[in-house]
Amino acid sequence: MMGMSRAGLAERWPLFVGAFLSVTLGVALVQSSLLLLISAATFDPPAGLSAAERMEFTDSTAAVVSMLGIVLGIATFLAGFIISSTFAFTVAQRRRDLALLRLVGAGRGQVRRLLLGEALLLGALGAAAGVPLGLVVMSAQTWMLRRMRFVPENFTGEWQDWILAVSFGTGIVLAVAGAMVAARRAARVRPLEALRETGDAARVMTVTRWLSGLIFFGGALALIIVAPHGGAAGGPAMAMNVPLPAAIAAAALSPLVVPLLGRLLPTGSGVAGVLARANLWDARRRSASVAAPLIVLIALVVGTAGAGASFTAAGIDQMRSQTHADLVVETTGPAGPAIAAVPGVASASTETSLPATFTTGHGEDAETETGTAVVVDPAAYAAAHSTGPLTALHGRTAAVGPGGDVPSHGTVKIQLPGLDLGEVPVVASVPAAMSGGDNALLPPGLVPAALLAKADTLSFVTLRPGTDQAAARAALAHLGTVSTTDEWLKADAKVRASTNDKIMLVIMGLGGLYALIGVINSIVIGAAARRREFAEARITGLTRRQVIRSALLESSAVTAAGILLGGVAAAGALLAALTSTAAVTGHGTLSIPWPLTLAICAVALLVTSATSLITSWSATRHAPITLLAARE
Amino acid sequence: MTRADAAVTLSGVSRVYGRGGAAVRAVDDVTVAFPRGGWTAVMGPSGSGKSTLLHCAAGLERVDSGQVLLGDTDLTRARDGELTALRRTRIGFVFQSFNLIGSLTAAQNVALPLRLAGRRPRGSEVRETLAAVGLADRARHRPRELSGGQQQRVAIARAMVTRPDVLFADEPTGALDSSAARVVLDLLRHMADAGQSIVMVSHDPVAAARADSVVFLRDGRVVDHLAGANAHEVADRLATWEAAR
């Protein structure tokens, strides 16, 4: 049977090149993301750091690790989705070949083994190419992480010998799993189907398709419903995950929708348009296979980036509405008394931020988080940030800060650079901020002045009514950098938005590229089986131009339908973002990244059009009669 | 003819496509026996149900009522696995459109049924079968390097390599020019003379006249029999039944 697998490989090469590519790229992406994650998690701080720098290092490493965790999750999702759908498509495209085998005596088990053997071979070959490609991808990802300053310059992705097992396992398991369902179905093909000239008469909406579509639809719906109850941290996490199940659901149910949407689209009344519409309806399986990676691409990029931008915008809005001050002074070390002494200053909330570790639980259950603690004047802080009164925050106590991650009651063990505060009772909490922030608030007096002297400090200054702001600003400028609250908020928002953009680029960049290649793959695989169809159309009297035009119209309609369905899946994430931001900040925020959305749609349309132009042009290169006469 | 003389027996076989008002009785209560060691041609106007009859007789198509016996084996009751086994051992197929596997050489195509049956074919076995169809020198050619007549002879060799009880042929000369068709018909005649049971569907009186007997089908029913007729007689009879529509 393996000999036949090999012979099969040689004949239908575009199918197998497509399947091979999907494995290679998927394995490369997963391997690179996993190696980077491990490297970041085990990255040691450089020698000679102070205690404070060491804690900051640990904190930023934790952030990079969680970001790379998401990158790995998305890479694995995409690899699973694209590899399995590509393999299923290649099997579906060969129904007639398989029926022929059944006709000359192949049993169902033999057909199944043949297809699984192929998947095994392609999975292994794809992984073999994916491992070295993964190293290239890793250096690209590392370069991106370094350039965006998520990791220090000396960070490198480390090779691990065991990754070979993981990569080959990933390639083979995903390929075989993808082929498995399709192979079971293909093995049931009736031998008589070999005698029909047109293959693929099979039902497209199988029970498996319905089931997976509905299950993932339910999953997406559940995330959308629960997200508003997830709070400042859980809500975004859930909303950002909506695109994954929503995309699978939309892709699974797409054969129902794609032809319908395609019909609604203007394809013209010419003969090419009529043929394109007829093909959309007739080849639902093919249309769905092209649309699937597109749906995932649009849902993932637009949904995740849109939700991310919405949460960032909500955080900025929240901060703006809660901050009450005229000027912001940035100093090194607390400058409270000096600021208060400046003429015209009514009050100032001076906030000195220190890296800290927070430990909750004891013994084996102990959990340590790295973050920041901020030393505040409780009354001034409450006034400047419109939190409730913080009168209980004095002596040896702490309050939960806007960044959360600290238990809201009981005690927490707090360690500052070079100072162990021990168990500190948590006596109050301020509302969680959408944009995060310090994890704990500490009252004055708990931390020795020496420790605070070199720490970054922000002072939110309120002036007495009627004070000349310019004069106050000039006086404060002797103490540190002064900006109006508006300027400071704008600068802060800019930093946050750009960080969000960078994170999205790291998370989506290569994944999006992979999904786009998946789209190209499906078109090429779909076109491989169409030479005969094109030849028949030309024999009927269509010119080569008309055939290509019709193929182009068809692919544009499928692309548009894919974009629409992907948009619906993305809308699920945006809806969750809207309701979660409303739940946390009081009013819903929606920020749709239109330039990105339009750009990705344009790229998708361009890529599908170019691919189908090239494939249909190449499939109609020879005179149609040579194809129809020399039949096998 | 008793059942023992028949290679394939159809008793009261019907096959209906569609339902209700749109239902088409492609095969309508047909009872016919195809003799062992003889070559029977099935003729009829297009749409008469001759291909469906052949598919039912070969166990490729489910029947809605009636019984199909291959020798003593009831095909209507056979499960998929049994039908598969029968296709490997007792049934051979030849079709109008050859249906060879393009990536395999002629010899590999011929050896395929044996390999699917789990046997490692002996080289001599395949060579002899190809030699029997006059293609000993084309063993290493792929289908696209062969003419239509040669491809059809490879298909016949593939069907014959398992030494089947019955060879089913659906318009085997339909895609061939007259000289290539003659070579294929000579080959089938030679096989029938050597005792091979053949059931062939054709619309070509020249092809049908080479068979031992001809069964005429119209609207899914057997309407006539002819034995030992020449091409003119077959054509006349076919024209009669076509005109009677």
Side-chain angles (χ1 to χ4, degrees), chain A residues 189-472:
Chain A
V189 68
R190 293 171 56 225
L192 204 53
E193 283 188 37
L195 303 181
R196 301 212 179 100
E197 286 303 332
T198 51
D200 205 23
R203 221 152 41 101
V204 183
M205 283 310 296
T206 55
V207 178
T208 324
R209 211 173 238 280
W210 270 112
L211 261 179
S212 61
L214 292 177
I215 288 173
F216 282 101
F217 178 73
L221 206 60
L223 281 176
I224 294 173
I225 292 170
V226 179
H229 306 287
M238 281 187 256
M240 308 274 256
N241 272 317
V242 169
L244 306 185
I248 296 183
L253 301 176
S254 67
L256 295 175
V257 188
V258 170
L260 285 179
L261 287 176
R263 286 193 162 193
L264 295 178
L265 295 163
T267 42
S269 56
V271 64
V274 172
L275 189 65
R277 275 199 297 280
N279 277 335
L280 272 176
W281 183 257
D282 194 49
R284 290 189 288 279
R285 181 69 177 82
R286 182 178 64 220
S287 308
S289 294
V290 174
L294 254 176
I295 293 171
V296 170
L297 174 69
I298 302 286
L300 212 56
V301 173
V302 176
T304 314
S310 299
F311 287 116
T312 305
I316 292 165
D317 285 352
Q318 194 187 22
M319 186 109 124
R320 183 176 295 273
S321 69
Q322 289 179 347
T323 308
H324 300 290
D326 298 306
L327 298 171
V328 179
V329 186
E330 293 165 67
T331 56
T332 304
I339 289 171
V342 170
V345 171
S347 66
S349 171
T350 299
E351 302 160 19
T352 307
S353 203
L354 290 168
T357 61
F358 306 97
T359 308
T360 50
H362 292 277
E364 290 206 348
D365 296 333
E367 251 183 72
T368 301
E369 296 272 351
T370 316
T372 54
V374 62
V375 178
V376 301
D377 170 357
Y381 184 92
H385 301 286
S386 39
T387 68
L390 291 168
T391 44
L393 186 65
H394 58 78
R396 258 186 65 84
T397 59
V400 181
D405 263 356
V406 169
S408 56
H409 49 81
T411 60
V412 61
K413 209 171 182 174
I414 302 177
Q415 233 175 344
L416 300 176
L419 175 71
D420 190 349
L421 290 179
E423 297 274 353
V424 180
V426 182
V427 294
S429 54
V430 301
M434 201 91 239
S435 53
D438 299 303
N439 306 88
L441 308 182
L442 300 176
L446 190 59
V447 181
L451 200 56
L452 297 175
K454 283 190 179 154
D456 289 340
T457 304
L458 281 178
S459 299
F460 293 85
V461 179
T462 308
L463 301 175
R464 283 199 191 87
T467 305
D468 176 9
Q469 203 186 70

Side-chain angles (χ1 to χ4, degrees), chain A residues 482-558:
Chain A
V482 188
S483 40
T484 64
T485 305
D486 222 40
E487 288 164 357
W488 182 81
L489 282 170
K490 271 192 190 133
D492 182 62
K494 206 167 158 188
V495 171
R496 282 177 201 278
S498 115
T499 305
N500 179 61
D501 289 350
K502 285 179 186 169
I503 291 174
M504 288 303 152
L505 189 60
V506 170
I507 292 178
M508 299 294 154
L510 289 172
L513 209 58
Y514 180 41
L516 203 60
I517 292 171
V519 177
I520 297 175
N521 239 337
S522 316
I523 295 178
V524 174
I525 293 171
R530 300 187 72 178
R531 289 169 175 274
R532 208 184 141 72
E533 179 195 324
F534 289 151
E536 279 163 356
R538 287 170 73 193
I539 285 284
T540 316
L542 271 80
T543 61
R544 189 178 177 195
R545 245 183 118 85
Q546 282 173 315
V547 169
I548 294 177
R549 218 171 86 81
S550 164
L552 205 56
L553 278 173
E554 189 187 327
S555 88
S556 313
V558 172

